[in-house]
Structures are given as structure tokens and as C-alpha cells.
């Protein structure tokens, strides 16, 4: 009994141990890795990806998958830039209104995503992927392929103003991470995600409106993608139809590396955080230790496999598909 | 034996017999046009359908290429929509499949301009076009052993841009701004892309004349703004104050570099870029960038379509043209602080009207291959 318990504990903490091991490894090879300035750099790169990962965590916990993040991030980023400019282009003026509007837009895209999935009974994989393409297409339509600049100094303060060494955007991401944790542990909705992911038939038989939980989950994910979009614009000062590119790989990898099981019911936002940090620490660390660029992709792949091997309880899985 | 396997064997046996019948019928059908006279021997086409096969609409570069193609079809008195977009989305398979479908739909009566997405794909694309009796001009991607003159008239021309010399010039501007000494980092394109290779080679050429400049690191940022920002941040951790200048493989990467530096409160870092996008030209005017290079994609897009079209309708006969008219470099214009305003007024604020029959005027000489 105790042996079983310790094994479970080990697996639960494995992603964090992997993260700590990576930090020690990179620091040993180049001590400048372990500095506040570098951690701030990693945090800046990780903040938007973390929001996407938290959003998709809810969906994966439900046992579904959401691949619409690239389109949704592009679409909401471009919409934000346009609305912000339309309302005066300054956070001091009416520009702030663009933020809640874009969060609502993200939620609506999520609702649509969820409805396509549950009403048309299309697997979430396909429904969300398709909706993602629609989002990217809409972003191209809006921009005509051009870049939309957001250079308001107050808004860019999210990147340029620091507090205890970290830019404000990092604190915003941390705040919404806690919001995600609160939803996950202290709301009925959060518990329902686990009920659906742990055993959908049982949840349904217990009188849970699974359809509504799923649609709400996708809406919530959409809101987090919109937060990610706003943070990306804060980070690079521009929005375009490829703003969301790469977020699918980074977020899904992070969530899985962090120990959220793709078959649902296991893991949560802290796993997403650790996973995003692992991926970003690897990205940053490989450059900082001077690993040749042609090795970087291969090493990233190997480390991802290693992290998943260490952090999932494969004894519980009878077969993998 | 399970029924599944039994059914499978039965079905395969039947379908093999059907296949043999179908093959016999097909060969007969294929021989018929040959007996009735080849369809491929057409000397010139009348009113061919015009298409541009390219990557996507999500970048200023390809939009500009397409706008050139549209300007050309409008010069023929046709609507913009007469230019068919074959968008490959970065997929080589889709590039070839779309072109084959376009050839089939128009029965070979086509003039196509194309970037084949990757070098090896240019050969099957050109062979498909020749087999259908259509005409094609390519840009950027082709292997060194593939030449228009080996395909008679159907492979009209290939244009590419030699990025080595302009990238060397931007590097010199960068090094002079750095006072001829200090460390420099290079943020490159996707490692295997030809322009990425050439732009780094240009930087290395310039280094030979500046012994006190040290190339600290060169890594790919995949032409991407966010990757550029993250890579620059990592470089700052590794090299810190040693970085005195930044050489970027394109404008998008430079935007990311500027933001990564902004986050650290670093201003006035000498940076050079490439592509001459409107935002980058504005940054040159504002002093955020030292230089960028314009390759006139609008003209490239228009002239590639024009070459294929005019060869197709018989305005000129490609096989009678000299080699420098079959394989040539496109124009490159260096944009620096002192000429940025003039450049912007001439090329960006209003698009110049080009003579689409002046096929080779702005071009830059025959393509040279390295041994």
C-alpha cells in the first residue's frame, strides 16, 4: 500500500521534478541561465502560451480536445487591434473597452465551437480544427494579410513596466492562472469537467447536462485564448493573421508534458503551468547553453517524450491509441 | 478463416480482374488522341486561363506578388478575378495537385506563374505543365539542375533573387554603425530555405572586411516575429552586453527583435532587416532600423504571369531568347535612412504602373550557380 502511494506521489510531482532538473542542468552549463533577467525573459515568452494552455486544459480534462486555438488567437488578436484603434487607440481613453469586448468575442467563438461539436455530433478534434481554420480565414479577411500595429505606450506598459523584475503582463497571466485554478476547484462547472472526463456515461446517468458542460467548457477556453491574444499583442506590439501560429503545438505539448492525461479526468491548471514552463525553459536553455540549432528540434522532441514518460501513470492505461 | 479476410480476398480478386479490363480500355483511350493528332503540338494558345500558385494570403509579401499578377490581368482588360489563385498553404503536395487540377480543368490552355514551395517540386510541376501543353514561369524554388531551356517553350522562365549581395550590403551598414567593432548576432529564416542561407552568407562575406567584428551566434527564427522575440531574449541572456548589433534575415524577425529589446529597456541598438515591407520602411524612416532590402514583389508577381501569358499566346518564343532571359535575378533595392522617404513615395504610397511587356528591364542578370 505504501509503495503504491509513493509511486502515485512521484508521478504526480514528476513534471515539477523534470522542470527543476532542467533548470539545474542549464544552470550548470551556463550560470547566467539562473538569473532574474532570464527568468523574466522566459516568463514573457511563456505568458501567452500559458493562457492558451490553461484554456485547453479544461477541454482535455473533459476528455475532448480543442485545436481551434491558432485561429481563435489570430482572430481575437486582430479584432482587438482593430477595435482598440477604432476606440481611439489609447488605454487612457476608450481603448480599454476593447479588452472586455474581445474576451466576449473569444467566448462566443468558443460557444460556436462547442455547439458545432455537440449539436452536429462532430468529434471535438475535427470540429475545433475546422473552427480554427475559419478563425484564421476570418483574420486574413479582416487584415488582408497586413500587420496591424498597436503602439499605445500605456498598453505596451504591459511589457515595458516592470514590478519586482517582471513585466506587468506576467502578473496578468498569473492572475488568470489563479482564476483558472479557482474555476477548476471551487465551482460546480470545474468539478463537472472532471465528472465528464472521468466517466461521461456515469455523469450523464447522474443527471448532469453533459452537453451544457461541454459548450460552457469551450466558451471558457475561448475566453482564455482571447486573453492570450491580448498578451501576444502586448508582447510584440502587432496583430496579424499568423499571430496564433505555433500555439497549437506549444499548448498541447505543454499540457501533456505537464501531466494532464489526454483521455480526460486527470490533471489541471498547475500541470499546464509546469508544462508551459518546461517547454519554454527548454527553448530558452538550448540557446543559452549554445546548443547547435540543428540539434534543437531533435532535443526538444526527445525531452518531450522523456517528460511524458516520467509524468504519466502508464500502468493505469491498458492501451494507447 | 474470418469472414473479414475471406471477403477481402474475394473483393481483391474481383477488383484485379476489373482493373485489367479498365487498364486495357484506358490504354486504348489514351492511344486514340495520338492517332488523331497530338494535342501537345499547339504552337500558341488563345485566351489562356491565368493562375498564380503561391503559399498564402497571410503575408504582405505574397499579397504584393498577387497584386502584381492582378495588375497584369487588368492590363489585358480582364477583371482581377481572371487571375486564379492556387494557394498551397506551404504544402508541396497541394501545390502540385492544384496545378494538375488547373491544367485538367482548362485542358492545358493555361499560363501559370508559380513558386513551387520547395526546390524538388519544381520538376514535377514543370513536367506536368509541359505534358499538358501549357506555359509556366517560376520564381524562387527550383533545383540547380532544372533549366527552362531543357523544356522547349513550355517552361518560359525562372526568376529568383540573389540575397547574398544585398545582405552583405546591409551587414556593412550595420558594422559601420557599430563603429567597426563588437559582437553581432544573426537571426535567420527557416534553416533549409535558400534565402536564409544566402542572407547569412552575405553577412559572413562582410565580416571578412571587419576583423574587429565578432559573429557571436547565428540561429534560425523561422521568419517569425514571436520566434524572433524569444530568440533575441535568449541571446541577451547568453551574450548580454557583448551584443552591439543585430542582423535579421527578414523584417518580421526584426519586429520581434525590436520588441525583445524594448522589454529590456534597450534602445538605439543597430539593427538591419530584409524585405522592404511598409512597416519596416517606416521604421527605417523613424530610425528604429538602419536598413532593409526591397525585392519588388509586385513587379515579380506581374512579370512572371506576363511572361507565361505572352509566351503562351506567341508574343515571343522562349526558345529563341538568350539564356539570361530564361533564368534571371529579380531587382533588389537597398532602403536606408537617407532614401527611405523617397523610396516610400515612389513604391509604397502609390504603386508604379509597369509596362508588362518590358519583361527583362528591371531584372538583374543571369542566374549564376555555385560550382
Amino acid at each position: 500500500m505504501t509503495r503504491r502511494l509513493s509511486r502515485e506521489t512521484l508521478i504526480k510531482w514528476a513534471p515539477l521534478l523534470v522542470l527543476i532538473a532542467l533548470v539545474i542542468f542549464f544552470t550548470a552549463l551556463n550560470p547566467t541561465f539562473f538569473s532574474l533577467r532570464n527568468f523574466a525573459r522566459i516568463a514573457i515568452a511563456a505568458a501567452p502560451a500559458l493562457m492558451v494552455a490553461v484554456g485547453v486544459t479544461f477541454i482535455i480534462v473533459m476528455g475532448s480536445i480543442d485545436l481551434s486555438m491558432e485561429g481563435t488567437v489570430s482572430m481575437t488578436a486582430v479584432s482587438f487591434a482593430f477595435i482598440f484603434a477604432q476606440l481611439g487607440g489609447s488605454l487612457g481613453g476608450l481603448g480599454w473597452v476593447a479588452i472586455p469586448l474581445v474576451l466576449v468575442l473569444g467566448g462566443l467563438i468558443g460557444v460556436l465551437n462547442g455547439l458545432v461539436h455537440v449539436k452536429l455530433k462532430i468529434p471535438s478534434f475535427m470540429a475545433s480544427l475546422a473552427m480554427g481554420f475559419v478563425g484564421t480565414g476570418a483574420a486574413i479577411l479582416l487584415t488582408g494579410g497586413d500587420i496591424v500595429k498597436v503602439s499605445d505606450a500605456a498598453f505596451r506598459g504591459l511589457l515595458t513596466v516592470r514590478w519586482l523584475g517582471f513585466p506587468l503582463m506576467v502578473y496578468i497571466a498569473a492572475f488568470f492562472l489563479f482564476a483558472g485554478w479557482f474555476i477548476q476547484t471551487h465551482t460546480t462547472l470545474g468539478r463537472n469537467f472532471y465528472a465528464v472526463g472521468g466517466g461521461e456515461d456515469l455523469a450523464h446517468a447522474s443527471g448532469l447536462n453533459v452537453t451544457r458542460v461541454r459548450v460552457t467548457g469551450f466558451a471558457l477556453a475561448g475566453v482564455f485564448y482571447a486573453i492570450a491574444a491580448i498578451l501576444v499583442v502586448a508582447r510584440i506590439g502587432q496583430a496579424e493573421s499568423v499571430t496564433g501560429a505555433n500555439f497549437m503545438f506549444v499548448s498541447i505539448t505543454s499540457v501533456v508534458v505537464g501531466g494532464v492525461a489526454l483521455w480526460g479526468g486527470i490533471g489541471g491548471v498547475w500541470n499546464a503551468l509546469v508544462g508551459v514552463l518546461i517547454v519554454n525553459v527548454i527553448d530558452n536553455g538550448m540557446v543559452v547553453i549554445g546548443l547547435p540549432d540543428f540539434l534543437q528540434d531533435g532535443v526538444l522532441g526527445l525531452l518531450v517524450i522523456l517528460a511524458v514518460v516520467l509524468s504519466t501513470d502508464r500502468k493505469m492505461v491498458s492501451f494507447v491509441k | 478463416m474470418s469472414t473479414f479476410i475471406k471477403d477481402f480476398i474475394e473483393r481483391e480478386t474481383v477488383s484485379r480482374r476489373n482493373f485489367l479490363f479498365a487498364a486495357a480500355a484506358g490504354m486504348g483511350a489514351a492511344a486514340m488522341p495520338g492517332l488523331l493528332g497530338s494535342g501537345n503540338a499547339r504552337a500558341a494558345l488563345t485566351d489562356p486561363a491565368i493562375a498564380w500558385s503561391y503559399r498564402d494570403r497571410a503575408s504582405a509579401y505574397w499579397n504584393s506578388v498577387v497584386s502584381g499578377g492582378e495588375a497584369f490581368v487588368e492590363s489585358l482588360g480582364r477583371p482581377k478575378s481572371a487571375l486564379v489563385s492556387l494557394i498551397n498553404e506551404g504544402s508541396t503536395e497541394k501545390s502540385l495537385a492544384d496545378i494538375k487540377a488547373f491544367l485538367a480543368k482548362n485542358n492545358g490552355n493555361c499560363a501559370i506563374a508559380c513558386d513551387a514551395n520547395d526546390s524538388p517540386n519544381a520538376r514535377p510541376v514543370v513536367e506536368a505543365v509541359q505534358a499538358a501543353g501549357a506555359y509556366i514561369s517560376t520564381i524562387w524554388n527550383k533545383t540547380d539542375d532544372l533549366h527552362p531551356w531543357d523544356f522547349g517553350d513550355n517552361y518560359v522562365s525562372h526568376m529568383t533573387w540573389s540575397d547574398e549581395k544585398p545582405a552583405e550590403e546591409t551587414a556593412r551598414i550595420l558594422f559601420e554603425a557599430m563603429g567597426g567593432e563588437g559582437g553581432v548576432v544573426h537571426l535567420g529564416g527557416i534553416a533549409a530555405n535558400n534565402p536564409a542561407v544566402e542572407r547569412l552568407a552575405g553577412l559572413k562575406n562582410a565580416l571578412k572586411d571587419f576583423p574587429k567584428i565578432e559573429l557571436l551566434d547565428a540561429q534560425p527564427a523561422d521568419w517569425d516575429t514571436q520566434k524572433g522575440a524569444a530568440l533575441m531574449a535568449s541571446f541577451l541572456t547568453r551574450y548580454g552586453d557583448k551584443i552591439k548589433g543585430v542582423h535579421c534575415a527578414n523584417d518580421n524577425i526584426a519586429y520581434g527583435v525590436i520588441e525583445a529589446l524594448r522589454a529590456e529597456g534597450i534602445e538605439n541598438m543597430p539593427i538591419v532587416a530584409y524585405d522592404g515591407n511598409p512597416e519596416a520602411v517606416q521604421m527605417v524612416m523613424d530610425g528604429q532600423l538602419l536598413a532593409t532590402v526591397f525585392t519588388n514583389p509586385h513587379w515579380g508577381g506581374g512579370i512572371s504571369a506576363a511572361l507565361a501569358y505572352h509566351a503562351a499566346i506567341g508574343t515571343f518564343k522562349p526558345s529563341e531568347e538568350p539564356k539570361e532571359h530564361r533564368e534571371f535575378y529579380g531587382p533588389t533595392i537597398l532602403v536606408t535612412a537617407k532614401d527611405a522617404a523617397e523610396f516610400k513615395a515612389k513604391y509604397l504610397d502609390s504603386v508604379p504602373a509597369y509596362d508588362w511587356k518590358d519583361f527583362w528591364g528591371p531584372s538583374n542578370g543571369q542566374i549564376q550557380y555555385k560550382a
Side-chain angles (χ1 to χ4, degrees), chain A residues 79-157:
Chain A
S79 305
F80 173 75
F82 274 127
I83 298 171
F84 191 74
Q86 202 61 217
L87 293 172
S90 155
L91 211 57
L94 272 177
W96 65 270
V97 179
I99 295 174
L101 281 181
V102 164
L103 296 189
V104 171
L105 176 66
L108 287 177
I109 297 175
V111 167
L112 198 59
N113 215 340
L115 287 177
V116 169
H117 164 45
V118 299
K119 293 293 175 195
L120 299 179
K121 298 203 190 306
I122 300 174
S124 56
F125 171 84
M126 213 55 237
S128 61
L129 190 63
M131 282 300 296
F133 288 140
V134 172
T136 305
I140 293 177
L141 210 61
L142 276 175
T143 60
D146 289 336
I147 293 171
V148 192
K149 288 255 162 212
V150 178
S151 22
D152 175 41
F155 177 69
R156 296 309 305 284

Side-chain angles (χ1 to χ4, degrees), chain A residues 1-22:
Chain A
M1 195 65 204
T2 45
R3 195 169 160 266
R4 170 90 193 145
L5 207 69
S6 70
R7 195 172 147 269
E8 267 175 15
T9 316
L10 197 65
I11 282 165
K12 190 178 165 198
W13 291 99
L16 190 62
L17 295 177
V18 169
L19 178 62
I20 294 169
L22 283 169

Side-chain angles (χ1 to χ4, degrees), chain B residues 198-354:
Chain B
E198 289 189 350
R199 290 172 195 186
L200 177 57
L203 169 70
K204 286 180 175 165
N205 288 347
L207 277 171
K208 289 173 197 154
D209 295 336
F210 291 85
K212 284 185 182 164
I213 299 263
E214 184 194 359
L215 177 59
L216 298 168
D217 211 334
Q219 301 225 9
D222 302 351
W223 311 119
D224 180 71
T225 303
Q226 292 180 57
K227 189 109 197 264
L231 180 58
M232 189 64 213
S234 303
F235 278 158
L236 284 172
T237 300
R238 182 161 168 80
Y239 302 105
D241 296 341
K242 280 203 269 179
I243 302 174
K244 302 289 184 206
V246 185
H247 190 264
C248 303
N250 78 344
D251 292 340
N252 287 346
I253 296 172
Y255 306 151
V257 167
I258 288 171
E259 295 308 326
L261 294 171
R262 189 198 303 275
E264 310 280 335
I266 301 172
E267 283 171 16
N268 303 324
M269 172 78 80
I271 306 167
V272 292
Y274 207 107
D275 278 351
N277 287 330
E279 291 82 7
V281 172
Q282 188 61 47
M283 285 176 173
V284 172
M285 291 170 70
D286 297 345
Q288 287 179 288
L289 283 176
L290 286 172
T292 181
V293 178
F294 182 66
T295 53
N296 207 344
H298 179 86
W299 182 79
I303 211 67
S304 297
L307 278 160
Y309 176 82
H310 283 290
I313 64 167
T315 310
F316 73 103
K317 198 168 166 54
S319 53
E320 288 168 2
E321 293 292 331
K323 284 188 174 177
E324 66 258 33
H325 285 178
R326 307 292 298 274
E327 283 189 354
F328 52 88
Y329 289 119
T332 47
I333 301 167
L334 189 68
V335 183
T336 59
K338 69 172 188 289
D339 48 30
E342 191 190 334
F343 170 84
K344 184 165 177 279
K346 189 173 170 195
Y347 288 97
L348 301 179
D349 293 344
S350 62
V351 178
Y354 293 99

Side-chain angles (χ1 to χ4, degrees), chain A residues 6-257:
Chain A
S6 70
R7 195 172 147 269
E8 267 175 15
T9 316
L10 197 65
I11 282 165
K12 190 178 165 198
W13 291 99
L16 190 62
L17 295 177
V18 169
L19 178 62
I20 294 169
L22 283 169
V23 171
I24 294 171
F25 172 74
F26 288 128
T27 307
L29 290 181
N30 185 348
T32 56
F33 177 87
F34 200 87
S35 60
L36 185 65
R37 297 236 28 115
N38 194 42
F39 290 155
R41 285 165 193 149
I42 293 172
I44 292 169
L50 175 64
M51 291 298 97
V52 176
V54 168
V56 79
T57 297
F58 295 130
I59 308 293
I60 293 180
V61 162
M62 280 197 294
S64 299
I65 189 95
D66 185 353
L67 302 179
S68 68
M69 59 279 281
E70 298 196 345
T72 309
V73 169
S74 296
M75 176 64 195
T76 47
V78 166
S79 305
F80 173 75
F82 274 127
I83 298 171
F84 191 74
Q86 202 61 217
L87 293 172
S90 155
L91 211 57
L94 272 177
W96 65 270
V97 179
I99 295 174
L101 281 181
V102 164
L103 296 189
V104 171
L105 176 66
L108 287 177
I109 297 175
V111 167
L112 198 59
N113 215 340
L115 287 177
V116 169
H117 164 45
V118 299
K119 293 293 175 195
L120 299 179
K121 298 203 190 306
I122 300 174
S124 56
F125 171 84
M126 213 55 237
S128 61
L129 190 63
M131 282 300 296
F133 288 140
V134 172
T136 305
I140 293 177
L141 210 61
L142 276 175
T143 60
D146 289 336
I147 293 171
V148 192
K149 288 255 162 212
V150 178
S151 22
D152 175 41
F155 177 69
R156 296 309 305 284
L158 287 173
L159 175 74
T160 53
V161 177
R162 288 186 185 234
W163 194 52
L164 299 178
F166 288 90
L168 292 182
M169 62 182 281
V170 175
Y171 295 97
I172 305 263
F175 172 79
F176 282 102
L177 174 68
F178 277 103
W181 167 77
F182 183 82
I183 293 168
Q184 172 190 309
T185 45
H186 292 284
T187 64
T188 321
L189 180 66
R191 305 318 299 163
N192 286 347
F193 288 151
Y194 285 91
V196 172
E200 186 169 347
D201 297 343
L202 202 61
H204 185 70
S206 316
L208 184 64
N209 186 341
V210 174
T211 304
R212 202 165 68 195
V213 172
R214 281 197 189 281
V215 175
T216 321
F218 276 95
L220 188 61
V223 174
F224 273 92
Y225 300 159
I227 300 167
I230 294 170
L231 293 185
V232 176
V233 178
R235 179 183 166 215
I236 58 171
Q238 64 184 48
E240 54 185 324
S241 52
V242 295
T243 297
N246 297 331
F247 276 112
M248 192 193 297
F249 169 78
V250 171
S251 61
I252 302 278
T253 309
S254 301
V255 168
V256 174
V257 165

Side-chain angles (χ1 to χ4, degrees), chain B:
Chain B
M1 196 189 297
S2 80
T3 52
F4 173 77
I5 296 174
K6 205 169 104 223
D7 289 350
F8 179 77
I9 292 174
E10 259 173 30
R11 202 171 62 232
E12 287 305 294
T13 320
V14 173
S15 66
R16 191 175 311 135
R17 197 167 58 225
N18 287 348
F19 171 75
L20 288 173
F21 282 132
M27 270 191 283
M32 285 305 276
L35 294 173
L36 299 171
S38 167
N40 293 349
R42 285 176 293 198
L45 306 176
T46 45
D47 208 16
I50 308 169
W52 237 113
S53 166
Y54 57 95
R55 188 185 173 90
D56 59 31
R57 291 300 305 240
S59 76
Y61 182 82
W62 288 114
N63 279 330
S64 188
V65 166
V66 174
S67 75
E70 287 172 346
F72 165 67
V73 296
E74 283 181 316
S75 77
L76 299 173
R78 297 198 199 177
K80 272 183 186 177
S81 56
L83 180 79
V84 177
S85 276
L86 305 173
I87 298 176
N88 64 41
E89 285 162 0
S91 157
T92 298
E93 291 75 16
K94 191 168 186 304
S95 161
L96 181 58
D98 283 358
I99 287 171
K100 282 184 171 169
F102 185 71
L103 291 167
K105 178 170 177 258
N106 296 291
N107 201 19
N109 189 19
C110 312
I112 301 171
C114 162
D115 171 24
N117 191 54
D118 66 23
S119 305
N121 188 42
R123 185 174 288 279
V125 163
V126 168
E127 285 173 353
V129 167
Q130 190 188 31
Y135 292 80
I136 187 166
S137 288
T138 56
I139 67 168
W140 286 119
N141 281 295
K142 79 167 185 60
T143 48
D144 288 356
D145 62 345
L146 183 77
H147 302 292
W149 46 80
D150 293 335
F151 290 83
D153 292 325
N154 298 94
Y155 189 0
V156 182
S157 65
H158 178 77
M159 171 163 50
T160 192
W161 282 261
S162 171
D163 295 348
E164 200 169 317
K165 201 76 197 166
E168 184 181 330
E169 285 173 42
T170 61
R172 286 177 193 279
I173 291 170
L174 176 68
F175 297 163
E176 270 154 26
M178 290 162 62
E181 58 184 340
V184 65
V185 288
H186 172 82
L187 293 89
I190 294 170
N193 281 178
N194 205 34
V197 175
E198 289 189 350
R199 290 172 195 186
L200 177 57
L203 169 70
K204 286 180 175 165
N205 288 347
L207 277 171
K208 289 173 197 154
D209 295 336
F210 291 85
K212 284 185 182 164
I213 299 263
E214 184 194 359
L215 177 59
L216 298 168
D217 211 334
Q219 301 225 9
D222 302 351
W223 311 119
D224 180 71
T225 303
Q226 292 180 57
K227 189 109 197 264
L231 180 58
M232 189 64 213
S234 303
F235 278 158
L236 284 172
T237 300
R238 182 161 168 80
Y239 302 105
D241 296 341
K242 280 203 269 179
I243 302 174
K244 302 289 184 206
V246 185
H247 190 264
C248 303
N250 78 344
D251 292 340
N252 287 346
I253 296 172
Y255 306 151
V257 167
I258 288 171
E259 295 308 326
L261 294 171
R262 189 198 303 275
E264 310 280 335
I266 301 172
E267 283 171 16
N268 303 324
M269 172 78 80
I271 306 167
V272 292
Y274 207 107
D275 278 351
N277 287 330
E279 291 82 7
V281 172
Q282 188 61 47
M283 285 176 173
V284 172
M285 291 170 70
D286 297 345
Q288 287 179 288
L289 283 176
L290 286 172
T292 181
V293 178
F294 182 66
T295 53
N296 207 344
H298 179 86
W299 182 79
I303 211 67
S304 297
L307 278 160
Y309 176 82
H310 283 290
I313 64 167
T315 310
F316 73 103
K317 198 168 166 54
S319 53
E320 288 168 2
E321 293 292 331
K323 284 188 174 177
E324 66 258 33
H325 285 178
R326 307 292 298 274
E327 283 189 354
F328 52 88
Y329 289 119
T332 47
I333 301 167
L334 189 68
V335 183
T336 59
K338 69 172 188 289
D339 48 30
E342 191 190 334
F343 170 84
K344 184 165 177 279
K346 189 173 170 195
Y347 288 97
L348 301 179
D349 293 344
S350 62
V351 178
Y354 293 99
D355 174 6
W356 297 119
K357 283 188 180 171
D358 178 16
F359 302 126
W360 301 286
S363 71
N364 233 341
Q366 189 180 344
I367 296 172
Q368 304 296 320
Y369 297 99
K370 281 184 185 151

Side-chain angles (χ1 to χ4, degrees), chain A residues 297-313:
Chain A
D297 284 342
V299 171
L300 180 65
L302 288 177
L303 288 174
V304 165
I305 293 174
L306 185 72
V308 175
V309 165
L310 291 176
S311 62
T312 43
D313 191 352

